[in-house]
């Protein structure tokens, strides 16, 4: 009896799990089919394609049955030039490879409706071919049989441009518009290795705003504190030399990386950003004494024996020791620009 009960329980569990799996598969298949069936809707009911995209449909014989006007116009055609015309001869070269590609794609999507992504050559009206990224979908009738294909094409040159813009957007700190921490560290380490390889100058400045940020956030409001970060980030961007870049690290640090800039030039830039930052903070109705609660450190690559980790570590130690003693201003192993800190910070061992 116990064995029978256990067997039935296992069978019931297996049946339940199989049912759940099949239900999820059915739900996903239904969603996929609904998406594919949209290709059969009237053009005015479809989602508008992006500017520059080329969208058209063909029937089973690969005759163009519909085309989105703006994309066709970009190719130099009118709607009258393409509707009712064969895809091969009109928007693509008529050759054996293209004929086989179209037929194989149609047969594959007829057996298993899905979205197929590929690349193909689209022929412009001037006879030149354009390489495009192409999304091909089956056009299904009411009994889910394939009655044609839809093509959504995007110029690869435009797609590459959009991808570059996306990469650039993703590398930015959305709040301050300087580089985010991950991107900045990667570029800093890469440029340090290049500077070492070719024995070139490389300097960095770190502006630590932790104390002034906390003062503003607790004593005034978060909007003012956030404005400090944004304003100092903007100042850093304006002071960067050609080839330099800035990023936000550890929430309240603005870091400036300056390839081919000497230590002395970095010191001068540190003095300038210190003065400009204080002026920007004071403009937010913060008094002069509190406006100076920032720490700025600068350092440079020290030759072939130096490393990225060592340089980053020096900057971090400068900042941490100054914060610990509330010793605001500009700190380095050089003489302090504001007040003496009483130690050769750059040579402190961790």
């Amino acid at each position: 009896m116990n064995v029978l009960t256990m067997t039935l329980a296992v069978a019931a569990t297996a049946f339940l799990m199989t049912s759940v799996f099949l239900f999820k598969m059915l739900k996903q298949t239904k969603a996929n089919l609904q998406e594919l069936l949209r290709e059969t809707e009237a053009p005015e009911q479809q989602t508008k394609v992006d500017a520059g995209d080329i969208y058209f449909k063909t029937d089973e014989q690969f005759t163009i049955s519909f085309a989105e006007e703006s994309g066709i116009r970009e190719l130099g055609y009118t709607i009258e030039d393409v509707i009712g015309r064969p895809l091969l001869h009109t928007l693509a070269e008529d050759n054996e490879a293209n004929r086989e590609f179209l037929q194989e794609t149609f047969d594959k999507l007829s057996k298993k409706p899905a979205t197929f992504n590929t690349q193909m050559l689209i022929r412009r009206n001037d006879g030149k071919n354009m390489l495009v990224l192409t999304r091909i979908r089956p056009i299904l009738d009411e009994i889910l049989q394939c009655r044609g294909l839809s093509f959504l094409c995007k110029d690869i040159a435009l797609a590459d441009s959009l991808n570059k813009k996306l990469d650039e957007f993703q590398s930015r700190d959305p709040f301050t518009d300087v580089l985010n921490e991950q991107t900045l560290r990667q570029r800093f380490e890469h440029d340090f290795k290049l500077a070492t390889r070719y024995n070139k100058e490389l300097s960095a400045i770190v502006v630590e705003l932790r104390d002034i940020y906390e003062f503003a956030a607790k004593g005034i409001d978060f909007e003012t504190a956030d404005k400090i970060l944004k304003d100092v980030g903007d100042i850093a961007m304006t002071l960067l030399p050609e080839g330099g870049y800035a990023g936000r690290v550890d929430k309240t640090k603005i870091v400036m990386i300056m390839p081919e800039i000497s230590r002395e030039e970095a010191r001068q830039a540190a003095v300038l950003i210190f003065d400009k930052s204080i002026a920007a903070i004071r403009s937010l109705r913060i008094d002069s004494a509190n406006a100076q609660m920032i720490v700025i450190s600068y350092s440079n690559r020290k030759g072939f024996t130096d490393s990225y980790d060592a340089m980053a570590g020096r900057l971090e130690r400068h900042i941490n020791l100054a914060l610990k003693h509330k010793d605001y201003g500009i700190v380095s192993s050089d003489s302090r620009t504001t007040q003496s800190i009483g130690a050769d910070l750059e040579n402190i061992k961790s």
Side-chain angles (χ1 to χ4, degrees):
M1 185 67 178
N2 289 338
V3 174
L4 179 61
T5 302
M6 290 178 62
T7 302
L8 290 174
V10 171
T13 302
F15 175 77
L16 179 60
M17 293 178 65
T18 302
S19 299
V20 171
F21 173 76
L22 291 175
F23 175 76
K24 289 183 178 180
M25 289 293 293
L26 179 62
K27 186 176 180 181
Q28 182 62 48
T29 301
K30 182 179 178 181
N32 292 340
L33 285 174
Q34 287 177 338
E35 183 178 5
L36 294 174
L37 284 170
R38 293 193 189 101
E39 301 291 342
T40 66
E41 297 175 350
E44 63 272 12
Q45 294 176 314
Q46 295 172 5
T47 302
K48 183 172 172 53
V49 299
D50 294 335
D53 288 352
I54 303 154
Y55 180 73
F56 58 92
K57 299 179 182 180
T58 70
D59 60 18
E60 295 168 273
Q61 286 74 44
F62 310 117
T63 298
I64 300 172
S65 57
F66 169 80
E68 201 278 328
E69 185 173 3
S70 65
I72 293 300
R73 192 167 56 245
E74 288 289 328
L75 296 175
Y77 299 100
T78 65
I79 290 296
E80 291 74 19
D81 292 332
V82 298
I83 297 298
R85 301 285 300 277
L87 172 57
L88 303 179
H89 279 306
T90 308
L91 295 182
E93 186 178 348
D94 186 5
N95 56 43
E96 185 176 354
N98 281 343
R99 287 193 295 270
E100 289 181 357
F101 166 73
L102 287 175
Q103 193 59 56
E104 288 175 1
T105 301
F106 183 87
D107 293 343
K108 180 170 65 175
L109 297 183
S110 295
K111 294 177 182 177
K112 185 178 180 180
T115 296
F116 176 53
N117 296 304
T118 187
Q119 296 182 10
M120 61 183 293
L121 291 173
I122 290 291
R123 188 165 64 182
R124 299 175 55 88
N125 195 25
D126 59 11
K128 296 180 180 179
N129 286 325
M130 180 173 68
L131 184 62
V132 293
L133 296 173
T134 305
R135 186 207 71 190
I136 305 176
R137 285 177 172 172
I139 298 175
L140 307 176
D141 62 15
E142 63 276 4
I143 59 173
L144 302 183
Q145 289 186 336
C146 183
R147 297 303 183 189
L149 300 174
S150 74
F151 297 76
L152 179 62
C153 309
K154 186 182 292 291
D155 184 355
I156 283 186
L158 177 61
D160 287 344
S161 174
L162 292 174
N163 283 334
K164 287 178 182 177
K165 289 182 179 178
L166 177 61
D167 290 342
E168 183 179 348
F169 174 78
Q170 291 176 333
S171 71
R172 294 280 168 182
D173 172 46
F175 179 71
T176 59
D177 202 36
V178 297
L179 296 177
N180 60 36
E181 181 168 350
Q182 179 181 2
T183 303
L184 180 124
R185 290 187 184 278
Q186 289 174 346
R187 288 186 61 178
F188 185 11
E189 184 170 8
H190 174 266
D191 287 348
F192 188 96
K193 291 177 180 178
L194 282 180
T196 299
R197 179 178 180 181
Y198 297 105
N199 195 27
K200 292 185 176 182
E201 296 274 14
L202 177 71
S203 295
I205 298 172
V206 179
V207 184
E208 174 59 90
L209 301 165
R210 190 192 72 182
D211 285 3
I212 185 60
Y213 182 88
E214 291 181 354
F215 170 82
K218 296 175 181 178
I220 306 175
D221 51 49
F222 281 106
E223 288 75 14
T224 300
D226 291 342
K227 187 73 165 55
I228 291 172
L229 285 178
K230 180 69 171 65
D231 287 352
V232 175
D234 290 343
I235 293 169
M237 293 292 287
T238 64
L239 296 178
L240 285 172
E242 183 177 357
Y245 47 94
R248 182 161 73 124
V249 175
D250 297 335
K251 297 183 180 180
T252 57
K253 291 183 177 71
I254 302 296
V255 181
M256 301 167 62
I257 307 300
M258 300 177 292
E260 301 190 34
I261 294 298
S262 69
R263 183 183 184 86
E264 175 58 24
E265 291 172 305
R267 187 192 67 78
Q268 294 172 10
V271 173
L272 196 54
I273 194 171
F274 181 73
D275 293 340
K276 287 182 174 292
S277 297
I278 290 175
I281 294 169
R282 290 189 63 185
S283 71
L284 299 175
R285 294 178 297 178
I286 296 176
D287 63 88
S288 178
N290 289 317
Q292 297 187 51
M293 289 196 302
I294 61 178
V295 177
I296 298 180
S297 179
Y298 63 91
S299 189
N300 67 314
R301 190 185 70 85
K302 292 186 171 300
F304 288 105
T305 60
D306 204 0
S307 69
Y308 161 76
D309 289 334
M311 182 175 173
R314 290 194 297 271
L315 290 163
E316 187 72 19
R317 288 193 296 273
H318 294 178
I319 296 293
N320 289 341
L321 188 55
L323 286 176
K324 179 179 179 180
H325 295 287
K326 305 296 182 185
D327 197 2
Y328 304 116
I330 301 173
V331 294
S332 75
S333 60
D334 301 326
S335 299
R336 273 184 56 97
T337 304
T338 53
Q339 56 187 14
S340 175
I341 196 168
D344 185 352
L345 293 176
E346 198 151 334
N347 294 318
I348 293 176
K349 304 296 182 182
S350 56

